[in-house]
Amino acid sequence: MPSPLLPPPPPPAHIRTWPDRAALLADRGRVLEELRRRSLGVHRVLLLWLLALAAIVGWALLVLPLQQFEEDDPTGFILGPLFALLGLAALAPSVVAVTLSVRRDRHIHELLDVWSALDRHPATDSRLRSPGLSLFWLLSSLGVCAIGVWSSFAAAAQAEPGRSLYSDVVLGMGIGLILWLTGLIGIAKAVRHYRWALRMLGSAPVEKHQ
């Protein structure tokens, strides 16, 4: 299902039709709140985790034929290609969706910058800081990152002859990398929003409505 269209950037200064500053501030506040919700809402972190889970499932399916080969499972010649196709079908769309989501977040922050630069209104701008949501993104993403690093190191520690199959090491390292990258995306989002909030509340406006 396609995501709703983002609000457009503010019109150029020479064609703006706001009758007064109150109207400008009302539109500005409404757009900034919508952009903040689209960027930092809880549904966004849940979607990110869901995509990470789909990527993990896809990676596990891709590694399964290797495990069957190591175990001399005769069904691997029949089921191996099927598992590989299913793995690609789960992994590839997840990677594409995360890539598009990162690009969309970059565009959202560009819109946040241009709309917040129109004017300042501390009484409403302070609500856009969303310290609770930013902290939730940061702490949860740090936790996901830590789990990913632990999984990668645990898999690497088992990479000794006779202790585990090579496929188990590949599976653990891949899952760890997926979780680590997922956590980094969340951390970057939280830090970016925090820096934007400081810049919006602490700097003078670039231009004001006349």
Side-chain angles (χ1 to χ4, degrees):
M1 179 181 298
S3 58
L5 294 177
L6 294 173
H14 64 281
I15 61 171
R16 290 174 187 166
T17 58
W18 285 294
D20 50 35
R21 183 170 181 261
L24 182 149
L25 291 176
D27 285 348
R28 173 183 176 274
R30 189 161 46 247
V31 171
L32 289 178
E33 175 60 29
E34 177 65 13
L35 291 172
R36 183 207 62 80
R37 185 188 68 82
R38 299 268 189 104
S39 173
L40 214 63
V42 176
H43 68 286
R44 297 291 297 171
V45 71
L46 294 179
L47 176 61
L48 180 62
W49 291 349
L50 182 62
L51 291 174
L53 178 61
I56 289 173
V57 172
W59 181 252
L61 289 172
L62 281 175
V63 174
L64 192 56
L66 177 60
Q67 186 177 19
Q68 291 176 322
F69 176 77
E70 286 184 324
E71 295 176 349
D72 295 325
D73 187 350
T75 62
F77 294 99
I78 301 175
L79 298 179
L82 176 61
F83 287 135
L85 288 175
L86 290 175
L88 286 175
L91 181 61
S94 301
V95 173
V96 172
V98 170
T99 302
L100 293 177
S101 178
V102 170
R103 293 179 61 184
R104 183 174 182 269
D105 283 338
R106 188 180 301 117
H107 181 49
I108 287 176
H109 275 275
E110 291 174 355
L111 291 174
L112 284 170
D113 284 337
V114 294
W115 275 99
S116 60
L118 287 176
D119 208 327
R120 288 185 60 193
H121 193 233
T124 56
D125 290 350
S126 60
R127 296 198 300 266
L128 299 171
R129 294 176 58 190
S130 303
L133 276 175
S134 296
L135 187 62
F136 171 72
W137 270 91
L138 181 62
L139 294 181
S140 62
S141 298
L142 284 173
V144 172
C145 239
I147 295 173
V149 172
W150 175 84
S151 177
S152 296
F153 276 103
Q158 294 177 358
E160 297 179 9
R163 289 191 59 185
S164 65
L165 296 174
Y166 176 73
S167 57
D168 294 336
V169 177
V170 173
L171 177 62
M173 293 288 289
I175 291 175
L177 179 61
I178 291 171
L179 293 175
W180 182 68
L181 291 175
T182 302
L184 283 183
I185 292 172
I187 292 171
K189 181 190 286 284
V191 172
R192 180 184 293 176
H193 182 81
Y194 176 75
R195 293 177 62 184
W196 170 78
L198 288 182
R199 187 166 62 250
M200 179 183 63
L201 295 175
S203 62
V206 174
E207 54 182 308
K208 288 183 178 290
H209 175 67
Q210 300 296 331

